Amino acid sequence: MVTLRSSMKLKIKPEDKILDVRPIFERGGRPCEEIDKAVAALKPEQRLVLLAPFEPVPLYSKLAISGLGHSATELADGSWRIEFDTNTPISPIQHKSDHLCQGTTPS
């Protein structure tokens, strides 16, 4: 179940797998295990819709290795909606070597 904040309206298809990691970050946690499980559970042609408090750029390269391209949109409240699927072209991403799940978060 996705908890929408303020007036956010998300176009969600019934077959989408939704993962809202904002509450995990609010508790001071890291959603690495939850993201890995969600990706592993994706069915062919299914889309993962990730809701995050910031744009998780290092995650793009990690999931591209699994064949998932992405489309990212900043929402009105400053959080991000990122859609991962096998139908979105994978583009090369340049980023710092810090990985989302290895110790750094945006300041």
Side-chain angles (χ1 to χ4, degrees), residues 24-66:
I24 296 170
F25 280 107
E26 287 171 3
R27 293 189 304 270
R30 296 193 182 279
C32 304
E33 186 175 336
E34 290 85 349
I35 292 170
D36 290 344
K37 286 180 183 178
V39 169
L42 285 177
K43 297 175 184 166
E45 305 300 319
Q46 190 176 25
R47 181 172 67 161
L48 171 63
V49 178
L50 183 72
L51 301 170
F54 56 88
E55 186 178 21
V57 174
L59 189 59
Y60 300 159
S61 294
K62 178 182 177 179
L63 296 187
I65 293 169
S66 299

Side-chain angles (χ1 to χ4, degrees), residues 3-106:
T3 302
L4 300 180
R5 298 178 179 197
S6 63
S7 62
M8 255 192 289
K9 292 189 179 183
L10 304 177
K11 294 179 183 174
I12 298 173
K13 298 176 184 176
E15 65 273 11
D16 288 345
K17 182 156 191 74
I18 312 301
L19 181 59
D20 187 347
V21 298
R22 295 172 297 183
I24 296 170
F25 280 107
E26 287 171 3
R27 293 189 304 270
R30 296 193 182 279
C32 304
E33 186 175 336
E34 290 85 349
I35 292 170
D36 290 344
K37 286 180 183 178
V39 169
L42 285 177
K43 297 175 184 166
E45 305 300 319
Q46 190 176 25
R47 181 172 67 161
L48 171 63
V49 178
L50 183 72
L51 301 170
F54 56 88
E55 186 178 21
V57 174
L59 189 59
Y60 300 159
S61 294
K62 178 182 177 179
L63 296 187
I65 293 169
S66 299
L68 298 174
H70 73 277
S71 172
T73 305
E74 187 171 11
L75 302 174
D77 70 351
S79 62
W80 287 78
R81 173 195 168 116
I82 307 94
E83 298 174 5
F84 293 97
D85 64 46
T86 56
N87 295 320
T88 302
I90 298 171
S91 59
I93 302 284
Q94 295 289 332
H95 61 80
K96 296 190 294 185
S97 61
D98 295 337
H99 186 275
L100 177 68
C101 296
Q102 294 177 342
T104 61
T105 55

